[in-house]
Each structure stands twice: as C-alpha cells, then as structure tokens.
C-alpha cells in the first residue's frame, strides 16, 4: 500500500496534537478578543501586514514562523517564509509551518478551512482607531501578555497627540482628499486614515456617511475642491492634471498635492502600530507643500 502524501501526514499530526489542546479563536467579529484562554501562542503565522507589525511592536517578532507576501516591517521579518495573501494564502505552506496561531482578516478565504483543520485562527479587522486598540490587546492576550496591547495603544496615542501640536497653524482646519487604489476610492472621515487626519487638526472632504472607504470617481474630488490632495505615487501613474477636469482644481493648479511612493504610502494605509509614522508622513507632506508653493502661510 502506498504511503500517504506528506500533506496528509502533516494534517493528521496536527489533528492529533492540536485538536484537543488548542481551542479555536472566534472570528465572527472584528477586533474581538479570544473568548477562551488557550496557552500563549509560540508559533504564529500572520497573513496581514498590520497584524505582523502589531505582533512585532509587542516584542514578539521571534514567534513568527511565516508571513504573507506583503509584510515588510520590521526588517527582521524579511527572511521568513511567505505563504500568500488575502486571496491566495497557501494552506499547505501554512500547515508546514506548524503554527499554533494564525492571524488574519475575517475576509481571508482560508480562515474557515484552517479552523476545520484544527488550527487556532484569530481574525481581526480594523477600520477605526478603536478597532486598532482592540486588536492590539487581542494579539497581546493571544501571546500571553494581557495588558501589553493597551500599553502599546497608550504609547501610540501619546505620540499622535504630540504630533498634533506640530501642525502649522495655517494648515489647521484645511480640507484634505486622501485617495486610494489609484483613484477609484478614498478614505472618509469614518476610516482610521480619516481619524488620523482629524487628530492632526485637518478636515476630510469625504463624509463618514459614505462609509469608511467609498468608491469614488475623480469628479467627487473635483466638486469637493480640497485644499490638499494626498495620492499614491504608484509606478506608471499619470500626472494629476491628466484626470478629467483636475487641471482646473485649485490644489492641483497651486501645487498643493502629495504624491507618496511606497513604502511610505504603505505606512499611511496600514491600520497598525505605526500610526505615529503615518502622522509624521502627513506633516512632512505639508512641509514639502509649503516649501514648494508661494504664500504657503
């Protein structure tokens, strides 16, 4: 009789070693801490960059055994095995890492299958600062360090408040359009990005009533006429003046735009512990605009 394939053996071992001892985390709501008290996770696979960063900010980077393809901070995670992303996570490679916890977003397609295979799954999403705070503590509890997440958030919050004091007075209350996905969406007041803008003292032209990250065409920004545009400077992106009507927009005409390239744009759009870096990037953008425009004050 032929021996079973390696994957089948691995799954069998996982069932024997983890089914009884390792309860499965609930994944039915974003940012909800585990409802049980399992042993602290020691071998962790992260399928979301912001969760990778959260784990490392909690001084537990050494517990990572595999990560998604987009996790790139801190530098110490770079050599780790890559197991795919939101839409194409590789179950066999995840199993091969022998994790006792998998961190991912609720919408990850492999979440249910991993639970069926007996793995602990902690599904966390973040659209607001409050979600991020809960996520930090949920991860802290999962690694056996209750309270560490709250402490991390307190430090992050204090840095944000200090940066708020650095916003130049002539920028306070100015209206911002923060573009996403190459121009087909934006961050609204209801998003964590919108909250960061508000925390600094800026205003978002996209109302919370449209949802956190509404799909919007270039005509919305044209009608909103913001004081500042923040966009992703992706490879091959055409000049902003090339968009329909944007050549006449005051922000474009007067050079009040910030085209931010990767990896700095990633810092702005990840709901993780580098919120202060995101705020610093926005302040740097404002300073650059002031240097490049006449009558910045």
């Amino acid at each position: 009789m032929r021996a079973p394939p390696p994957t089948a053996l691995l799954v069998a071992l996982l069932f024997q070693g983890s089914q009884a001892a390792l309860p499965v985390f609930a994944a039915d709501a974003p940012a909800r801490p585990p409802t049980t008290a399992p042993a602290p996770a020691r071998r962790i696979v992260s399928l979301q960059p912001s969760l990778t960063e959260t784990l490392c900010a909690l001084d537990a980077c050494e517990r990572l055994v595999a990560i998604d393809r987009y996790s790139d901070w801190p530098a110490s995670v770079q050599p780790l095995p890559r197991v795919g992303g939101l839409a194409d996570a590789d179950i066999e490679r995840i199993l091969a890492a022998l994790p006792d916890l998998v961190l991912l977003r609720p919408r990850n397609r492999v979440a249910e299958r991993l639970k069926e295979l007996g793995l602990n799954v902690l599904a966390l999403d973040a659209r607001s600062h409050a979600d991020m705070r809960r996520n930090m503590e949920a991860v802290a509890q999962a690694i056996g360090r209750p309270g560490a997440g709250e402490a991390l958030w307190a430090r992050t919050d204090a840095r944000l408040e200090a940066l708020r004091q650095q916003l130049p007075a002539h920028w306070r209350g100015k209206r911002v359009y923060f573009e996403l996905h190459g121009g087909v969406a934006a961050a609204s007041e209801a998003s964590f990005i919108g909250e960061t803008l508000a925390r600094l003292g800026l205003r978002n032209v996209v109302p919370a009533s449209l949802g956190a990250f509404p799909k919007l065409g270039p005509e919305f920004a044209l009608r909103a006429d913001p004081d500042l545009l923040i966009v992703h400077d992706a490879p091959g992106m055409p000049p902003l003046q090339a968009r329909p009507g944007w050549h006449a927009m005051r922000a474009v005409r007067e050079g009040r735009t910030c085209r931010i390239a990767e990896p700095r744009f990633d810092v702005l759009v990840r709901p993780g512990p580098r919120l202060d870096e995101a705020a610093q990037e926005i302040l740097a953008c404002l300073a650059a605009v002031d240097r490049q425009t006449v009558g910045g004050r």
Side-chain angles (χ1 to χ4, degrees):
M1 185 175 75
R2 289 192 305 169
T7 300
L9 285 174
L10 185 56
V11 171
L13 288 172
L14 284 167
F15 267 100
Q16 292 173 10
S18 65
Q19 278 286 87
L22 298 175
V24 175
F25 287 102
D28 58 342
R32 178 178 295 176
T35 56
T36 59
R42 300 293 178 186
R43 297 181 58 83
I44 301 172
V45 170
S46 173
L47 299 180
Q48 186 67 19
S50 58
L51 297 176
T52 301
E53 296 183 10
T54 296
L55 187 68
C56 290
L58 291 167
D59 298 322
C61 240
E62 75 284 352
R63 304 194 194 194
L64 284 166
V65 293
I67 54 177
D68 69 289
R69 71 164 55 85
Y70 299 111
S71 289
D72 55 9
W73 185 92
S76 60
V77 307
Q78 295 285 3
L80 289 169
R82 306 280 173 163
V83 292
L86 181 65
D88 63 350
D90 190 321
I91 292 177
E92 290 193 10
R93 296 185 70 187
I94 293 171
L95 292 174
L98 297 174
D100 52 21
L101 176 65
V102 179
L103 298 173
L104 43 65
R105 295 177 64 182
R107 291 179 292 280
N108 195 298
R109 68 175 186 86
V110 301
E112 291 304 315
R113 183 58 181 151
L114 292 176
K115 289 195 292 182
E116 291 171 0
L117 291 172
L119 295 184
N120 287 338
V121 172
L122 180 54
L124 300 169
D125 203 0
R127 290 175 175 261
S128 67
H129 285 188
D131 289 340
M132 295 164 68
R133 177 179 182 175
R134 286 191 292 268
N135 286 359
M136 289 177 183
E137 183 57 22
V139 174
Q141 290 188 24
I143 63 174
R145 297 178 183 172
E150 284 293 332
L152 175 58
W153 174 257
R155 294 192 298 271
T156 304
D157 188 64
R159 290 194 294 265
L160 279 176
E161 185 57 32
L163 289 167
R164 175 185 176 88
Q165 307 306 318
Q166 298 180 26
L167 183 77
H170 61 278
W171 278 106
R172 198 161 300 280
K174 294 297 185 181
R175 302 165 65 253
V176 180
Y177 183 78
F178 193 109
E179 182 183 270
L180 297 169
H181 306 307
V184 300
S188 83
E189 294 173 310
S191 69
F192 68 89
I193 297 171
E195 287 185 274
T196 300
L197 292 172
R199 187 70 182 273
L200 286 174
L202 299 165
R203 293 173 56 200
N204 194 326
V205 299
V206 183
S209 59
L210 295 180
F213 302 106
K215 293 183 178 180
L216 299 171
E219 66 280 356
F220 181 95
L222 184 61
R223 291 196 307 269
D225 191 27
D227 298 303
L228 177 73
L229 287 166
I230 300 178
V231 302
H232 184 193
D233 191 12
M237 182 177 173
L240 298 181
Q241 296 90 334
R243 299 190 187 183
W246 278 33
H247 65 281
M249 192 187 304
R250 286 187 307 115
V252 174
R253 195 172 64 246
E254 297 173 9
R256 285 180 277 106
T257 64
C258 295
R259 293 183 58 154
I260 301 175
E262 294 180 7
R264 302 313 301 167
F265 194 78
D266 286 340
V267 176
L268 290 169
V269 298
R270 288 181 183 174
R274 293 195 286 166
L275 266 182
D276 58 321
E277 287 189 37
Q280 286 176 328
E281 192 68 38
I282 293 168
L283 291 176
C285 151
L286 300 181
V289 168
D290 282 346
R291 288 193 299 269
Q292 295 169 10
T293 59
V294 178
R297 292 182 181 275

